[in-house]
Amino acid sequence: MNYQETTEYLFNSTPVFEHIGASAYKDGLDNTCALDEYFGHPHTNFRSIHIGGTNGKGSCSHTLAAILQADGYKVGLYTSPHLVDFRERIRVNGEMVPEQYVIDFVEEHKDFFEPLHPSFFELTTAMAFKYFAEQKVDFAIIEVGLGGRLDCTNIIHPLLSIITNISLDHTQFLGDTLPKIAFEKAGIIKQGTPVIIGEANDETRIVFEAKAQEMESLIIFAEDIPMVLSASMSSDGGLYYKTRLFGELQGELGGLYQIKNTNTILTALSHLHNSHIIKNIESIVKGFSNVCESTGLLGRWQKIQTNPMVICDTGHNEAGWMCLSQQIRRQKCKNLRIVFGMVDDKDIEGVMALLPKDGEYYWTQPSTKRAYHVDKVAATGKKFGLHGKCFTNVGEAYNKALDDANKEDFVFVGGSSYIVADFLNLLQCN
């Protein structure tokens, strides 16, 4: 098989959550443990940092990876989902796993894993851990896939755990209240391993404290002693920070939600610096200002062009859109044009209630079986006083938005990671 055939095999022969949703979710770690034993427990060969939470996992993971790289370490980075290329999920010092490695992994080991019927994520996690061990990485930043307690990344024994925040998402798996979801996310807290909590409220804080006490783990709430003293937008679209311990920082990532992510990251960095893992403050400065180039991060308030300004963002739930809608409203533009679609396990009405009322909408749907049909998206938008036209795919919607726009307009593409994935694939093909 060539690379394309191999990735098609992975997508078509294993249950893929991104494609089919709930039926791809496997409750338990039996397959993960079987794969781990077969490959010789590769995760024991490198130090790791484990990052969970509802929103912000990707930004925090990529930023920490960039900083560790700047400090001279060889860093593995495992994240999901990918937007353009499967190999985005598995990187070492920003470089994607080679195509040939993916081909060889499947061809050499499918006789073992096929009878297990692993999920796509179980198999991908095993591939990542094996690759990182073979590459002899110093650290691996491991992003939780879904939840935490039963996530297949949870076999690692990290030197630090981070839980960014908790909001209602994936409630069919994790529970329908914040404490229930917090319990699942808290499952990544390991015996004696420090944990950073980015954001918490009274309901979730007590859950995290109880788990940390049970595991005899130091717990640090990033909001208790904020590391970000002030933040403002910079002229290049990023964020300028004044910080408690690390002086002034220029953040490349520009979404307003990055302010809270940065507070979480800086709290983690304080711990890593005190532990003599981060050696140079200059590495923090360099890492923050070069996240995308260092790690290949895509889809976080990503500027595509100017005149008209085009931005895409992977924010996909109500908590994410509380910040996104605020930032979109701040844009100085003549007309606001929004290409928008969602998938069916998200609270579409909760998000719709947050969307700007003065926008011109280009309703669409991503190329996944989990997509809300565009007609349902438009009908829901109408309930909230939002008006626009329907398009069967992201390309048609975006091209029409761009045709309609003048140089003073602002065009936003998002609503789902899969909308952004279709959009970035469209741009790559053009």
Side-chain angles (χ1 to χ4, degrees), residues 2 28 44 57 60 67 71 92 162 165 175 238 288 299 303 308 312 328 335 353 374 377 426 428:
N2 60 27
T44 61
K57 299 188 298 293
C60 289
I67 291 165
D71 213 44
V92 172
I162 299 171
N165 51 56
F288 264 102
K303 184 192 295 186
C312 67
I328 291 171
N335 298 294
V374 61
V377 176
L426 169 74
Q428 189 177 74

Side-chain angles (χ1 to χ4, degrees), residues 64 160 162 196 227 263-273:
L64 283 172
L160 179 67
I162 299 171
I196 308 293
M227 292 290 169
N263 196 59
T264 303
I265 294 164
L266 292 177
T267 303
L269 290 172
S270 175
H271 174 80
L272 294 172
H273 188 255

Side-chain angles (χ1 to χ4, degrees), residues 222-291:
E223 294 173 309
D224 286 356
I225 306 177
M227 292 290 169
V228 174
L229 301 179
S230 67
S232 58
M233 298 300 297
S234 59
S235 58
D236 61 359
L239 281 161
Y240 173 77
Y241 300 100
K242 292 185 178 179
T243 74
R244 184 178 299 276
L245 297 179
F246 303 111
E248 298 178 352
L249 299 174
Q250 179 69 53
E252 181 181 16
L253 305 183
L256 287 178
Y257 50 82
Q258 297 297 348
I259 298 172
K260 290 183 177 180
N261 288 340
T262 296
N263 196 59
T264 303
I265 294 164
L266 292 177
T267 303
L269 290 172
S270 175
H271 174 80
L272 294 172
H273 188 255
N274 290 338
S275 302
H276 307 291
I277 292 170
I278 297 292
K279 302 180 290 295
N280 301 303
I281 300 298
E282 294 80 8
S283 302
I284 297 173
V285 176
K286 183 178 178 181
F288 264 102
S289 64
N290 291 283
V291 175

Side-chain angles (χ1 to χ4, degrees), residues 138-156:
D138 299 307
F139 288 95
I141 309 297
I142 307 297
E143 180 188 343
V144 172
L146 194 157
R149 183 175 64 93
L150 297 176
D151 188 77
C152 59
T153 64
N154 204 29
I155 60 171
I156 65 174

Side-chain angles (χ1 to χ4, degrees), residues 187-414:
I188 71 170
I189 301 175
K190 299 295 196 306
Q191 184 72 36
T193 298
V195 58
I196 308 293
I197 308 296
E199 301 171 60
N201 60 25
D202 291 343
E203 288 184 291
T204 60
R205 187 176 184 120
I206 193 171
V207 175
F208 294 135
E209 288 175 333
K211 183 63 176 180
Q213 183 176 13
E214 175 193 343
M215 304 307 290
E216 300 178 307
S217 298
L218 171 68
I219 185 168
I220 302 168
F221 291 91
E223 294 173 309
D224 286 356
I225 306 177
M227 292 290 169
V228 174
L229 301 179
S230 67
S232 58
M233 298 300 297
S234 59
S235 58
D236 61 359
L239 281 161
Y240 173 77
Y241 300 100
K242 292 185 178 179
T243 74
R244 184 178 299 276
L245 297 179
F246 303 111
E248 298 178 352
L249 299 174
Q250 179 69 53
E252 181 181 16
L253 305 183
L256 287 178
Y257 50 82
Q258 297 297 348
I259 298 172
K260 290 183 177 180
N261 288 340
T262 296
N263 196 59
T264 303
I265 294 164
L266 292 177
T267 303
L269 290 172
S270 175
H271 174 80
L272 294 172
H273 188 255
N274 290 338
S275 302
H276 307 291
I277 292 170
I278 297 292
K279 302 180 290 295
N280 301 303
I281 300 298
E282 294 80 8
S283 302
I284 297 173
V285 176
K286 183 178 178 181
F288 264 102
S289 64
N290 291 283
V291 175
C292 297
E293 182 180 353
S294 297
T295 68
L297 179 63
L298 298 170
R300 272 60 169 193
W301 199 258
Q302 182 176 344
K303 184 192 295 186
I304 304 301
Q305 68 169 63
T306 55
N307 302 321
M309 179 71 74
V310 177
I311 296 286
C312 67
D313 195 282
T314 55
H316 55 268
N317 54 29
E318 186 175 352
W321 269 93
M322 287 181 72
C323 285
L324 278 177
S325 60
Q326 179 184 0
Q327 190 160 7
I328 291 171
R329 287 190 181 95
R330 289 186 180 185
Q331 302 306 309
K332 296 177 181 179
C333 60
K334 186 174 182 180
N335 298 294
L336 175 60
R337 304 184 185 279
I338 299 178
V339 177
F340 185 90
M342 289 188 73
V343 292
D344 61 11
D345 65 341
K346 304 302 178 185
D347 179 9
I348 189 169
E349 294 202 353
V351 171
M352 288 283 192
L354 296 169
L355 297 183
K357 297 291 191 287
D358 58 345
E360 178 68 23
Y361 286 86
Y362 299 77
W363 307 119
T364 188
Q365 60 191 52
S367 56
T368 170
K369 294 178 181 177
R370 296 169 55 210
Y372 273 120
H373 192 278
V374 61
D375 291 342
K376 180 174 182 178
V377 176
T380 307
K382 191 173 182 180
K383 287 171 54 177
F384 288 88
L386 308 175
H387 302 286
K389 299 174 183 176
C390 293
F391 300 87
T392 57
N393 60 66
V394 175
E396 290 179 2
Y398 173 66
N399 288 333
K400 179 58 175 171
L402 209 57
D403 286 344
D404 291 347
N406 59 47
K407 291 183 178 181
E408 293 78 33
D409 287 357
F410 180 84
V411 179
F412 179 86
V413 181

